[in-house]
PDB file of all heavy atoms in Angstrom:
ATOM      1  N   VAL A  70     -33.685   3.271  19.604  1.00 84.00           N
ATOM      2  CA  VAL A  70     -33.971   2.956  21.005  1.00 84.00           C
ATOM      3  C   VAL A  70     -32.752   2.354  21.688  1.00 84.00           C
ATOM      4  O   VAL A  70     -32.347   2.779  22.767  1.00 84.00           O
ATOM      5  CB  VAL A  70     -35.168   1.988  21.112  1.00 84.00           C
ATOM      6  CG1 VAL A  70     -35.397   1.603  22.571  1.00 84.00           C
ATOM      7  CG2 VAL A  70     -36.413   2.615  20.514  1.00 84.00           C
ATOM      8  N   SER A  71     -32.162   1.356  21.053  1.00 93.00           N
ATOM      9  CA  SER A  71     -31.013   0.694  21.657  1.00 93.00           C
ATOM     10  C   SER A  71     -29.797   1.611  21.613  1.00 93.00           C
ATOM     11  O   SER A  71     -29.755   2.603  20.874  1.00 93.00           O
ATOM     12  CB  SER A  71     -30.697  -0.604  20.911  1.00 93.00           C
ATOM     13  OG  SER A  71     -30.196  -0.318  19.612  1.00 93.00           O
ATOM     14  N   GLU A  72     -28.788   1.266  22.400  1.00 95.00           N
ATOM     15  CA  GLU A  72     -27.560   2.060  22.398  1.00 95.00           C
ATOM     16  C   GLU A  72     -26.899   2.043  21.029  1.00 95.00           C
ATOM     17  O   GLU A  72     -26.368   3.054  20.575  1.00 95.00           O
ATOM     18  CB  GLU A  72     -26.599   1.531  23.469  1.00 95.00           C
ATOM     19  CG  GLU A  72     -26.989   1.884  24.892  1.00 95.00           C
ATOM     20  CD  GLU A  72     -25.872   1.603  25.872  1.00 95.00           C
ATOM     21  OE1 GLU A  72     -24.946   0.829  25.522  1.00 95.00           O
ATOM     22  OE2 GLU A  72     -25.899   2.164  26.979  1.00 95.00           O
ATOM     23  N   ASP A  73     -26.918   0.884  20.371  1.00 95.00           N
ATOM     24  CA  ASP A  73     -26.319   0.807  19.034  1.00 95.00           C
ATOM     25  C   ASP A  73     -27.063   1.705  18.057  1.00 95.00           C
ATOM     26  O   ASP A  73     -26.440   2.371  17.213  1.00 95.00           O
ATOM     27  CB  ASP A  73     -26.340  -0.644  18.529  1.00 95.00           C
ATOM     28  CG  ASP A  73     -25.301  -1.516  19.218  1.00 95.00           C
ATOM     29  OD1 ASP A  73     -24.377  -0.952  19.844  1.00 95.00           O
ATOM     30  OD2 ASP A  73     -25.427  -2.754  19.140  1.00 95.00           O
ATOM     31  N   ASP A  74     -28.385   1.733  18.137  1.00 93.00           N
ATOM     32  CA  ASP A  74     -29.177   2.603  17.254  1.00 93.00           C
ATOM     33  C   ASP A  74     -28.876   4.070  17.538  1.00 93.00           C
ATOM     34  O   ASP A  74     -28.736   4.883  16.616  1.00 93.00           O
ATOM     35  CB  ASP A  74     -30.666   2.339  17.438  1.00 93.00           C
ATOM     36  CG  ASP A  74     -31.121   1.035  16.801  1.00 93.00           C
ATOM     37  OD1 ASP A  74     -30.369   0.507  15.956  1.00 93.00           O
ATOM     38  OD2 ASP A  74     -32.206   0.548  17.143  1.00 93.00           O
ATOM     39  N   ARG A  75     -28.774   4.425  18.815  1.00 95.00           N
ATOM     40  CA  ARG A  75     -28.460   5.808  19.179  1.00 95.00           C
ATOM     41  C   ARG A  75     -27.063   6.197  18.701  1.00 95.00           C
ATOM     42  O   ARG A  75     -26.836   7.333  18.248  1.00 95.00           O
ATOM     43  CB  ARG A  75     -28.570   5.989  20.692  1.00 95.00           C
ATOM     44  CG  ARG A  75     -29.993   5.878  21.236  1.00 95.00           C
ATOM     45  CD  ARG A  75     -29.981   5.874  22.751  1.00 95.00           C
ATOM     46  NE  ARG A  75     -29.372   7.083  23.289  1.00 95.00           N
ATOM     47  CZ  ARG A  75     -28.819   7.173  24.501  1.00 95.00           C
ATOM     48  NH1 ARG A  75     -28.741   6.095  25.282  1.00 95.00           N
ATOM     49  NH2 ARG A  75     -28.296   8.319  24.920  1.00 95.00           N
ATOM     50  N   TYR A  76     -26.142   5.248  18.789  1.00 96.00           N
ATOM     51  CA  TYR A  76     -24.771   5.479  18.299  1.00 96.00           C
ATOM     52  C   TYR A  76     -24.777   5.761  16.800  1.00 96.00           C
ATOM     53  O   TYR A  76     -24.193   6.756  16.340  1.00 96.00           O
ATOM     54  CB  TYR A  76     -23.920   4.251  18.620  1.00 96.00           C
ATOM     55  CG  TYR A  76     -22.591   4.164  17.908  1.00 96.00           C
ATOM     56  CD1 TYR A  76     -21.530   5.010  18.243  1.00 96.00           C
ATOM     57  CD2 TYR A  76     -22.383   3.220  16.902  1.00 96.00           C
ATOM     58  CE1 TYR A  76     -20.314   4.923  17.597  1.00 96.00           C
ATOM     59  CE2 TYR A  76     -21.165   3.120  16.252  1.00 96.00           C
ATOM     60  CZ  TYR A  76     -20.135   3.976  16.598  1.00 96.00           C
ATOM     61  OH  TYR A  76     -18.925   3.889  15.957  1.00 96.00           O
ATOM     62  N   ARG A  77     -25.451   4.922  16.037  1.00 95.00           N
ATOM     63  CA  ARG A  77     -25.476   5.109  14.586  1.00 95.00           C
ATOM     64  C   ARG A  77     -26.241   6.368  14.197  1.00 95.00           C
ATOM     65  O   ARG A  77     -25.854   7.077  13.259  1.00 95.00           O
ATOM     66  CB  ARG A  77     -26.090   3.876  13.921  1.00 95.00           C
ATOM     67  CG  ARG A  77     -25.165   2.656  13.919  1.00 95.00           C
ATOM     68  CD  ARG A  77     -25.715   1.558  13.026  1.00 95.00           C
ATOM     69  NE  ARG A  77     -26.903   0.953  13.629  1.00 95.00           N
ATOM     70  CZ  ARG A  77     -26.880  -0.093  14.435  1.00 95.00           C
ATOM     71  NH1 ARG A  77     -25.723  -0.648  14.756  1.00 95.00           N
ATOM     72  NH2 ARG A  77     -27.991  -0.591  14.929  1.00 95.00           N
ATOM     73  N   ALA A  78     -27.324   6.671  14.903  1.00 93.00           N
ATOM     74  CA  ALA A  78     -28.075   7.893  14.615  1.00 93.00           C
ATOM     75  C   ALA A  78     -27.218   9.128  14.867  1.00 93.00           C
ATOM     76  O   ALA A  78     -27.252  10.104  14.091  1.00 93.00           O
ATOM     77  CB  ALA A  78     -29.348   7.938  15.461  1.00 93.00           C
ATOM     78  N   ALA A  79     -26.436   9.107  15.940  1.00 94.00           N
ATOM     79  CA  ALA A  79     -25.555  10.237  16.238  1.00 94.00           C
ATOM     80  C   ALA A  79     -24.498  10.400  15.151  1.00 94.00           C
ATOM     81  O   ALA A  79     -24.209  11.525  14.715  1.00 94.00           O
ATOM     82  CB  ALA A  79     -24.895  10.038  17.606  1.00 94.00           C
ATOM     83  N   LEU A  80     -23.927   9.289  14.691  1.00 95.00           N
ATOM     84  CA  LEU A  80     -22.955   9.361  13.599  1.00 95.00           C
ATOM     85  C   LEU A  80     -23.593   9.925  12.337  1.00 95.00           C
ATOM     86  O   LEU A  80     -22.970  10.713  11.608  1.00 95.00           O
ATOM     87  CB  LEU A  80     -22.372   7.976  13.321  1.00 95.00           C
ATOM     88  CG  LEU A  80     -21.448   7.370  14.377  1.00 95.00           C
ATOM     89  CD1 LEU A  80     -21.004   5.982  13.945  1.00 95.00           C
ATOM     90  CD2 LEU A  80     -20.238   8.261  14.637  1.00 95.00           C
ATOM     91  N   PHE A  81     -24.826   9.521  12.075  1.00 93.00           N
ATOM     92  CA  PHE A  81     -25.537  10.018  10.891  1.00 93.00           C
ATOM     93  C   PHE A  81     -25.670  11.536  10.963  1.00 93.00           C
ATOM     94  O   PHE A  81     -25.372  12.252   9.997  1.00 93.00           O
ATOM     95  CB  PHE A  81     -26.908   9.364  10.780  1.00 93.00           C
ATOM     96  CG  PHE A  81     -27.726   9.863   9.615  1.00 93.00           C
ATOM     97  CD1 PHE A  81     -27.584   9.292   8.360  1.00 93.00           C
ATOM     98  CD2 PHE A  81     -28.622  10.918   9.775  1.00 93.00           C
ATOM     99  CE1 PHE A  81     -28.320   9.758   7.284  1.00 93.00           C
ATOM    100  CE2 PHE A  81     -29.361  11.387   8.704  1.00 93.00           C
ATOM    101  CZ  PHE A  81     -29.212  10.811   7.454  1.00 93.00           C
ATOM    102  N   HIS A  82     -26.155  12.044  12.090  1.00 90.00           N
ATOM    103  CA  HIS A  82     -26.342  13.491  12.236  1.00 90.00           C
ATOM    104  C   HIS A  82     -25.004  14.231  12.161  1.00 90.00           C
ATOM    105  O   HIS A  82     -24.926  15.347  11.632  1.00 90.00           O
ATOM    106  CB  HIS A  82     -27.010  13.801  13.573  1.00 90.00           C
ATOM    107  CG  HIS A  82     -28.479  13.506  13.594  1.00 90.00           C
ATOM    108  ND1 HIS A  82     -29.382  14.126  12.750  1.00 90.00           N
ATOM    109  CD2 HIS A  82     -29.209  12.645  14.363  1.00 90.00           C
ATOM    110  CE1 HIS A  82     -30.604  13.676  12.990  1.00 90.00           C
ATOM    111  NE2 HIS A  82     -30.528  12.777  13.958  1.00 90.00           N
ATOM    112  N   LEU A  83     -23.957  13.593  12.641  1.00 91.00           N
ATOM    113  CA  LEU A  83     -22.657  14.255  12.711  1.00 91.00           C
ATOM    114  C   LEU A  83     -21.940  14.283  11.361  1.00 91.00           C
ATOM    115  O   LEU A  83     -21.276  15.268  11.010  1.00 91.00           O
ATOM    116  CB  LEU A  83     -21.782  13.552  13.750  1.00 91.00           C
ATOM    117  CG  LEU A  83     -20.535  14.282  14.242  1.00 91.00           C
ATOM    118  CD1 LEU A  83     -20.893  15.640  14.835  1.00 91.00           C
ATOM    119  CD2 LEU A  83     -19.812  13.435  15.277  1.00 91.00           C
ATOM    120  N   TYR A  84     -22.095  13.208  10.580  1.00 90.00           N
ATOM    121  CA  TYR A  84     -21.274  13.083   9.378  1.00 90.00           C
ATOM    122  C   TYR A  84     -22.039  12.985   8.058  1.00 90.00           C
ATOM    123  O   TYR A  84     -21.432  13.154   7.003  1.00 90.00           O
ATOM    124  CB  TYR A  84     -20.367  11.850   9.504  1.00 90.00           C
ATOM    125  CG  TYR A  84     -19.417  11.922  10.667  1.00 90.00           C
ATOM    126  CD1 TYR A  84     -19.588  11.119  11.787  1.00 90.00           C
ATOM    127  CD2 TYR A  84     -18.349  12.824  10.661  1.00 90.00           C
ATOM    128  CE1 TYR A  84     -18.718  11.188  12.869  1.00 90.00           C
ATOM    129  CE2 TYR A  84     -17.475  12.901  11.739  1.00 90.00           C
ATOM    130  CZ  TYR A  84     -17.665  12.083  12.843  1.00 90.00           C
ATOM    131  OH  TYR A  84     -16.797  12.166  13.904  1.00 90.00           O
ATOM    132  N   ARG A  85     -23.306  12.694   8.100  1.00 86.00           N
ATOM    133  CA  ARG A  85     -23.999  12.482   6.837  1.00 86.00           C
ATOM    134  C   ARG A  85     -25.227  13.361   6.642  1.00 86.00           C
ATOM    135  O   ARG A  85     -25.694  13.546   5.526  1.00 86.00           O
ATOM    136  CB  ARG A  85     -24.415  11.001   6.703  1.00 86.00           C
ATOM    137  CG  ARG A  85     -24.589  10.577   5.251  1.00 86.00           C
ATOM    138  CD  ARG A  85     -24.946   9.100   5.140  1.00 86.00           C
ATOM    139  NE  ARG A  85     -23.908   8.217   5.585  1.00 86.00           N
ATOM    140  CZ  ARG A  85     -22.828   7.907   4.876  1.00 86.00           C
ATOM    141  NH1 ARG A  85     -22.651   8.438   3.682  1.00 86.00           N
ATOM    142  NH2 ARG A  85     -21.920   7.080   5.361  1.00 86.00           N
ATOM    143  N   SER A  86     -25.765  13.903   7.691  1.00 75.00           N
ATOM    144  CA  SER A  86     -26.979  14.696   7.591  1.00 75.00           C
ATOM    145  C   SER A  86     -26.733  15.947   6.756  1.00 75.00           C
ATOM    146  O   SER A  86     -25.763  16.676   6.985  1.00 75.00           O
ATOM    147  CB  SER A  86     -27.485  15.095   8.978  1.00 75.00           C
ATOM    148  OG  SER A  86     -28.663  15.856   8.881  1.00 75.00           O
ATOM    149  N   SER A  87     -27.585  16.184   5.768  1.00 64.00           N
ATOM    150  CA  SER A  87     -27.437  17.367   4.919  1.00 64.00           C
ATOM    151  C   SER A  87     -27.857  18.607   5.695  1.00 64.00           C
ATOM    152  O   SER A  87     -28.722  18.562   6.565  1.00 64.00           O
ATOM    153  CB  SER A  87     -28.299  17.218   3.654  1.00 64.00           C
ATOM    154  OG  SER A  87     -29.668  17.081   4.003  1.00 64.00           O
ATOM    155  N   GLY A  88     -27.243  19.713   5.383  1.00 61.00           N
ATOM    156  CA  GLY A  88     -27.587  20.961   6.042  1.00 61.00           C
ATOM    157  C   GLY A  88     -26.767  21.235   7.282  1.00 61.00           C
ATOM    158  O   GLY A  88     -26.595  22.380   7.689  1.00 61.00           O
ATOM    159  N   GLN A  89     -26.263  20.181   7.921  1.00 66.00           N
ATOM    160  CA  GLN A  89     -25.419  20.343   9.106  1.00 66.00           C
ATOM    161  C   GLN A  89     -26.052  21.306  10.123  1.00 66.00           C
ATOM    162  O   GLN A  89     -25.487  22.332  10.488  1.00 66.00           O
ATOM    163  CB  GLN A  89     -24.027  20.834   8.703  1.00 66.00           C
ATOM    164  CG  GLN A  89     -23.200  19.781   7.974  1.00 66.00           C
ATOM    165  CD  GLN A  89     -22.837  18.603   8.871  1.00 66.00           C
ATOM    166  OE1 GLN A  89     -22.306  18.786   9.955  1.00 66.00           O
ATOM    167  NE2 GLN A  89     -23.125  17.409   8.401  1.00 66.00           N
ATOM    168  N   ASN A  90     -27.259  20.946  10.581  1.00 80.00           N
ATOM    169  CA  ASN A  90     -27.922  21.712  11.630  1.00 80.00           C
ATOM    170  C   ASN A  90     -27.024  21.772  12.865  1.00 80.00           C
ATOM    171  O   ASN A  90     -26.610  20.739  13.401  1.00 80.00           O
ATOM    172  CB  ASN A  90     -29.264  21.052  11.979  1.00 80.00           C
ATOM    173  CG  ASN A  90     -30.012  21.809  13.050  1.00 80.00           C
ATOM    174  OD1 ASN A  90     -29.698  21.702  14.229  1.00 80.00           O
ATOM    175  ND2 ASN A  90     -30.999  22.581  12.619  1.00 80.00           N
ATOM    176  N   ILE A  91     -26.708  22.988  13.296  1.00 84.00           N
ATOM    177  CA  ILE A  91     -25.735  23.165  14.379  1.00 84.00           C
ATOM    178  C   ILE A  91     -26.196  22.468  15.655  1.00 84.00           C
ATOM    179  O   ILE A  91     -25.412  21.791  16.331  1.00 84.00           O
ATOM    180  CB  ILE A  91     -25.501  24.660  14.639  1.00 84.00           C
ATOM    181  CG1 ILE A  91     -24.846  25.299  13.409  1.00 84.00           C
ATOM    182  CG2 ILE A  91     -24.606  24.857  15.871  1.00 84.00           C
ATOM    183  CD1 ILE A  91     -24.639  26.796  13.535  1.00 84.00           C
ATOM    184  N   GLN A  92     -27.470  22.603  15.986  1.00 88.00           N
ATOM    185  CA  GLN A  92     -27.967  21.988  17.206  1.00 88.00           C
ATOM    186  C   GLN A  92     -27.947  20.468  17.105  1.00 88.00           C
ATOM    187  O   GLN A  92     -27.601  19.768  18.072  1.00 88.00           O
ATOM    188  CB  GLN A  92     -29.389  22.472  17.505  1.00 88.00           C
ATOM    189  CG  GLN A  92     -29.921  22.007  18.863  1.00 88.00           C
ATOM    190  CD  GLN A  92     -29.051  22.475  20.014  1.00 88.00           C
ATOM    191  OE1 GLN A  92     -28.727  23.657  20.123  1.00 88.00           O
ATOM    192  NE2 GLN A  92     -28.641  21.547  20.887  1.00 88.00           N
TER     193      GLN A  92
END
Side-chain angles (χ1 to χ4, degrees):
V70 176
S71 69
E72 286 192 342
D73 286 344
D74 286 343
R75 292 172 59 204
Y76 166 72
R77 287 191 289 269
L80 291 178
F81 178 86
H82 284 299
L83 195 57
Y84 299 109
R85 204 178 295 282
S86 180
S87 60
Q89 290 294 308
N90 181 282
I91 295 177
Q92 187 59 51

